[in-house]
C-alpha cells in the first residue's frame, strides 16, 4: 500500500500537520520511503554535498586537527557562556544595538510584534534564519497582520509552497526544478513556465527586489556573535542577508544564546569548518560583520538595530553535562547529508524545525521528549554523523541516551526532558496569549502601553533564566536613544 503524508493542517498556522508535528514521524517516514521522486531527489543532492565536502577534507589528519580547534573553541565559549553573553550585551549596547532576551518563542514573537507596531510596519523582509523558523515568526506575524517575506531563494520557494524547510542549509532541496517552475508559474502573476534554473532565480530576484525597498524592517539570523567586539557575523551566498540588514530602516537579528564566542580570532576557524562542511566551499560569497546601526556620515545601514537572544530550551541542555555538547553545533548540516536515514526520508518527515541526527537531539529540548520520542530511533548508529561533525559532537551517544530516556530508564539523577513549551508555566502561557490578542488591536494596545509606561515603576525588574539579572525589555524609543554611544545619531 502506498502511504501518503498525514492529512490535516495545524489550526493556528494552516501548515499541513506532517510539517509541524513529530508525532507523525513514523507514518511520514513510510510515506517518504514510498515516494520515489523524493528519494531520488534527496539521494542525488546528498551525494553532491558529500562529494563537495570530501574534496575539501581529503586529508583525514588535517580535518582532525581543524576539528580539534573548532571543538575546543566551542567548548571554551560554552564554558564561559553567561560571562560572554553579558559582555556581548554591554558591547552591543555601546554600539547602539538594543539586546532583548526571550525565554520562549512567544516572548520572541511578542518583541517582533511590538517593534513592528512601534514602527508602524505591516511588512518585514527576512534573510535565512532557522531560529525564526523555530519561533514560527512568519505565521505568528501573519496572524497579527504583519507580512514577513522570505528573501533567501530556498526559503522563498518553501514559503510560496506553504511548506517548511527540509534542510537547514538548503531549505527547498526536496523540490525538483520542475516543481519550482510549476510553483512560480501558478503563484506569481504573469510568470510563464520555465524550468531553466537561471531564469527561475532571475524571476525570484525580480519579485524580491521591490520588497527590500518597501519593507521598514529587515530580519536576519546570526551565525556567530563576538563578545569582545560586539559584532554579529552573518554567513551567506546570495547577498539577501546583506540587503535585509542594510536597506530597511530597522534591522532585527535573532539567534540562540549559544552562538557567542569570545574573540574575533575564534570566528575564522569556525567559519572555515562551517563553509567546507555545509556546501564544500572554502569561503562563502558574503561574510557580513555587523557592528551596530548607521553612524553619522555613513551612507548605508539601518537607523535602528535590535538583537533578540532566544533560550527556548537551550538552558536545559546547558545545565546537563551530557547534553551541553549539543550547543556546540554550528548548523552546518553535514550530519544530515551523511545520515543514511535522513538521506532516504528527507527533512519534512521529522515534523520539526531541525531534522536529521542533530535535530533528533535538539528537538526534544525544544518540544519535550514526549512528542519527539520516535526521533532518536531514526538512526542506524553507524556513526557517520559524528565522523563528519566539524565540532566533535558525540551524536550517536546522545541519541542512545535519549532512547533510554524515552523508555523512562534514564540514568539516575537525569531529569526527563520537559521541553520549552511543556515546561512553561501555564499562567505565563496564558499571559502571552492575552498579549498576542491585545497586540492585534493597535488602538487599544497603544492606549494601554501609554498607561503601562506611566505605571512602569510598579513593573517587575527581573525575568527568569538568562535574564535573571537584566532589566525588562527595553523597547521604547526613549530607551533606545538613551543607549546611543557618542557619534551615533538617529534620524
Ligand atoms: S551536529 Fe555537527 S554536523 Fe550536525 S549540523 Fe551541527 S555542527 Fe554540523
Amino acid at each position: 500500500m502506498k502511504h501518503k503524508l498525514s492529512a490535516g493542517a495545524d489550526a493556528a498556522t494552516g501548515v499541513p500537520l506532517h510539517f509541524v508535528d513529530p508525532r507523525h514521524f513514523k507514518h511520514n517516514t513510510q510515506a517518504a520511503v514510498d515516494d520515489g521522486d523524493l528519494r531520488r531527489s534527496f539521494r542525488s543532492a546528498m551525494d553532491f554535498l558529500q562529494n563537495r565536502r570530501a574534496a575539501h577534507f581529503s586529508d583525514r589528519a588535517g580535518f582532525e586537527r581543524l576539528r580539534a580547534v573548532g571543538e575546543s573553541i566551542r567548548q571554551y565559549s560554552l564554558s564561559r557562556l553567561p560571562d560572554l553573553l553579558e559582555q556581548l550585551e554591554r558591547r552591543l549596547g555601546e554600539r547602539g544595538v538594543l539586546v532583548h532576551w526571550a525565554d520562549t518563542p512567544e516572548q520572541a514573537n511578542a518583541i517582533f510584534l511590538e517593534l513592528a507596531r512601534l514602527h508602524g510596519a505591516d511588512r518585514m523582509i527576512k534573510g535565512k534564519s532557522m531560529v525564526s523558523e523555530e519561533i514560527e515568526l512568519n505565521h505568528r506575524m501573519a496572524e497579527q497582520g504583519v507580512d514577513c517575506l522570505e528573501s533567501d531563494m530556498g526559503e522563498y520557494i518553501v514559503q510560496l509552497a506553504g511548506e517548511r524547510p527540509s534542510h537547514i542549509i538548503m531549505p527547498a532541496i526536496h523540490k525538483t526544478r520542475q516543481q519550482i517552475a510549476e510553483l512560480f508559474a501558478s503563484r506569481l502573476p504573469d510568470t510563464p513556465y520555465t524550468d531553466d534554473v537561471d531564469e527561475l532565480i532571475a524571476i525570484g530576484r525580480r519579485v524580491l527586489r521591490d520588497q527590500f525597498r518597501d519593507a521598514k524592517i529587515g530580519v536576519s539570523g546570526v551565525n556567530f556573535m563576538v563578545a569582545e567586539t560586539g559584532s554579529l557575523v552573518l554567513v551567506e551566498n546570495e547577498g539577501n542577508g546583506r540587503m535585509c540588514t542594510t536597506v530597511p530602516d530597522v534591522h532585527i537579528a535573532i539567534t540562540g544564546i549559544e552562538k557567542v564566542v569570545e574573540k574575533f580570532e575564534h570566528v575564522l576557524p569556525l567559519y572555515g569548518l562551517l563553509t567546507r562542511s555545509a556546501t564544500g566551499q572554502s569561503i562563502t560569497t558574503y561574510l557580513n560583520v555587523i557592528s551596530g546601526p548607521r553612524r553619522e556620515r555613513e551612507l548605508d545601514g539601518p537607523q535602528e538595530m535590535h538583537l533578540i537572544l532566544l533560550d527556548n530550551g537551550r538552558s536545559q541542555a546547558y545545565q546537563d553535562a551530557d547534553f551541553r555538547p549539543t550547543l556546540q553545533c554550528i548548523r552546518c548540516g553535514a550530519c544530515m547529508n551523511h545520515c543514511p536515514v535522513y538521506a532516504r526520508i528527507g527533512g519534512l518527515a521529522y515534523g520539526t524545525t531541525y531534522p536529521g541526527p542533530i535535530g533528533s537531539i535538539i528537538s526534544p529540548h525544544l518540544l519535550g521528549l514526549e512528542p519527539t520520542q520516535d526521533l532518536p530511533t531514526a538512526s542506524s548508529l553507524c556513526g557517520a554523523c559524528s565522523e563528519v561533525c566539524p565540532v566533535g559532537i558525540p551524536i550517536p551517544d546522545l541519541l542512545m541516551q535519549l532512547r533510554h530516556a524515552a523508555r523512562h530508564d534514564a540514568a539516575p539523577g537525569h531529569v526527563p526532558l520537559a521541553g520549552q513549551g511543556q515546561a512553561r508555566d501555564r499562567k505565563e502561557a496564558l499571559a502571552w496569549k492575552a498579549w498576542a490578542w491585545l497586540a492585534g488591536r493597535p488602538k487599544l494596545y497603544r492606549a494601554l502601553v501609554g498607561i503601562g509606561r506611566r505605571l512602569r515603576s510598579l513593573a517587575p525588574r527581573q525575568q527568569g533564566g538568562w535574564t535573571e539579572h537584566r532589566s525588562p525589555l527595553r523597547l521604547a524609543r526613549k530607551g533606545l536613544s538613551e543607549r546611543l554611544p557618542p557619534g551615533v545619531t538617529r534620524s
Side-chain angles (χ1 to χ4, degrees):
M1 183 181 89
K2 187 156 174 145
H3 289 71
K4 288 197 177 326
L5 289 172
S6 311
D10 179 68
T13 62
V15 175
L17 272 179
H18 53 266
F19 298 137
V20 293
D21 192 343
R23 288 185 187 88
H24 294 255
F25 177 68
K26 280 191 173 162
H27 180 92
N28 290 341
T29 300
Q30 189 60 58
V33 169
D34 284 348
D35 187 336
D37 288 343
L38 184 84
R39 288 188 59 184
R40 269 189 294 280
S41 184
F42 261 89
R43 183 68 272 160
S44 66
M46 296 302 105
D47 287 346
F48 172 74
L49 289 169
Q50 285 181 19
N51 291 337
R52 294 264 306 205
R53 179 195 167 277
H56 279 281
F57 291 130
S58 52
D59 170 15
R60 181 80 210 173
F63 170 64
E64 291 297 353
R65 275 195 300 277
L66 274 176
R67 165 153 71 181
V69 173
E71 185 179 357
S72 64
I73 291 173
R74 289 304 295 135
Q75 286 178 350
Y76 172 73
S77 308
L78 291 172
S79 73
R80 298 200 51 221
L81 188 58
D83 290 345
L84 293 184
L85 286 170
E86 289 188 354
Q87 186 182 11
L88 176 79
E89 185 184 28
R90 273 197 309 278
R91 291 282 173 272
L92 286 170
E94 287 160 12
R95 292 175 174 279
V97 180
L98 268 178
V99 178
H100 311 275
W101 302 79
D103 281 349
T104 62
E106 286 86 349
Q107 288 179 7
N109 281 316
I111 296 165
F112 270 109
L113 192 54
E114 183 151 10
L115 288 170
R117 295 281 182 249
L118 280 170
H119 290 279
D122 58 6
R123 177 174 300 168
M124 301 181 187
I125 183 113
K126 180 156 85 66
K128 190 164 176 352
S129 155
M130 288 312 291
V131 177
S132 73
E133 294 287 338
E134 197 179 314
I135 66 169
E136 301 192 326
L137 179 68
N138 299 359
H139 299 296
R140 300 301 161 223
M141 291 304 107
E143 285 165 7
Q144 304 297 334
V146 179
D147 221 11
C148 196
L149 186 76
E150 298 286 352
S151 64
D152 172 270
M153 195 55 69
E155 292 282 355
Y156 177 65
I157 291 165
V158 167
Q159 185 177 40
L160 208 57
E163 297 175 359
R164 269 191 162 187
S166 60
H167 190 282
I168 61 173
I169 299 292
M170 302 192 172
I173 204 165
H174 57 290
K175 289 211 166 298
T176 62
R177 70 190 150 93
Q178 290 78 14
Q179 287 171 331
I180 296 167
E182 277 162 23
L183 182 71
F184 277 17
S186 64
R187 300 296 303 276
L188 301 177
D190 307 321
T191 303
Y193 178 96
T194 171
D195 58 14
D196 181 285
V197 174
D198 290 337
E199 281 181 38
L200 288 170
I201 290 173
I203 292 167
R205 286 211 170 128
R206 237 182 353 258
V207 174
L208 291 170
R209 197 153 290 269
D210 291 341
Q211 307 290 340
F212 283 115
R213 207 181 42 220
D214 297 342
K216 284 189 179 159
I217 294 179
V219 177
S220 78
V222 179
N223 292 93
F224 308 106
M225 307 182 284
V226 185
E228 203 172 73
T229 57
S231 313
L232 307 183
V233 180
L234 186 57
V235 179
E236 52 146 347
N237 275 315
E238 295 181 14
N240 66 306
R242 187 163 291 185
M243 299 277 277
C244 285
T245 56
T246 54
V247 178
D249 284 346
V250 181
H251 170 209
I252 309 175
I254 179 164
T255 194
I257 54 174
E258 79 280 17
K259 295 275 181 74
V260 67
V261 295
E262 183 187 28
K263 299 166 186 293
F264 215 91
E265 295 96 276
H266 292 168
V267 170
L268 291 180
L270 294 176
Y271 172 63
L273 284 165
L274 172 65
T275 58
R276 288 173 170 85
S277 303
T279 46
Q281 292 174 281
S282 302
I283 54 168
T284 44
T285 314
Y286 298 89
L287 176 67
N288 306 294
V289 180
I290 302 163
S291 306
R294 184 190 302 196
R295 287 164 190 267
E296 211 173 357
R297 289 191 293 279
E298 283 183 348
L299 298 176
D300 298 312
Q303 305 287 341
E304 189 174 311
M305 198 178 145
H306 301 259
L307 170 68
I308 301 174
L309 289 167
L310 180 70
D311 184 326
N312 196 25
R314 288 162 174 85
S315 291
Q316 188 175 211
Y318 184 78
Q319 283 156 18
D320 187 322
D322 289 338
F323 282 100
R324 187 182 285 189
T326 313
L327 301 176
Q328 288 168 211
C329 179
I330 54 173
R331 306 285 193 263
C332 70
C335 57
M336 293 161 208
N337 305 343
H338 291 75
C339 174
V341 177
Y342 176 89
R344 276 159 188 77
I345 62 173
L348 295 180
Y350 291 77
T352 53
T353 303
Y354 303 100
I358 191 65
S360 299
I361 303 169
I362 296 172
S363 302
H365 287 91
L366 305 187
L367 306 168
L369 193 50
E370 193 278 314
T372 57
Q373 59 186 286
D374 289 334
L375 303 185
T377 66
S379 168
S380 64
L381 302 179
C382 65
C385 48
S386 57
E387 286 243 323
V388 296
C389 177
V391 287
I393 300 175
I395 299 171
D397 293 350
L398 299 177
L399 289 171
M400 282 303 288
Q401 285 199 38
L402 286 171
R403 287 185 189 182
H404 286 306
R407 293 205 316 258
H408 307 292
D409 56 357
H414 266 245
V415 183
L417 291 172
Q420 187 69 19
Q422 293 180 1
R424 207 181 336 130
D425 184 77
R426 267 208 177 153
K427 280 189 219 149
E428 190 194 345
L430 273 176
W432 284 107
K433 245 189 182 170
W435 192 93
W437 178 87
L438 184 62
R441 289 150 184 84
K443 277 189 189 159
L444 180 61
Y445 173 82
R446 274 195 290 273
L448 290 177
V449 165
I451 294 168
R453 283 200 182 124
R454 270 175 240 142
L455 298 175
R456 184 175 278 177
S457 58
L458 300 177
R461 304 217 63 80
Q462 293 180 351
Q463 299 169 20
W466 291 94
T467 59
E468 205 168 44
H469 303 292
R470 297 181 173 84
S471 55
L473 305 177
R474 287 150 295 186
L475 293 169
R477 283 176 189 282
K478 185 169 172 288
L480 181 67
S481 44
E482 274 166 5
R483 292 173 63 84
L484 291 177
V488 179
T489 56
R490 203 153 304 290
S491 63

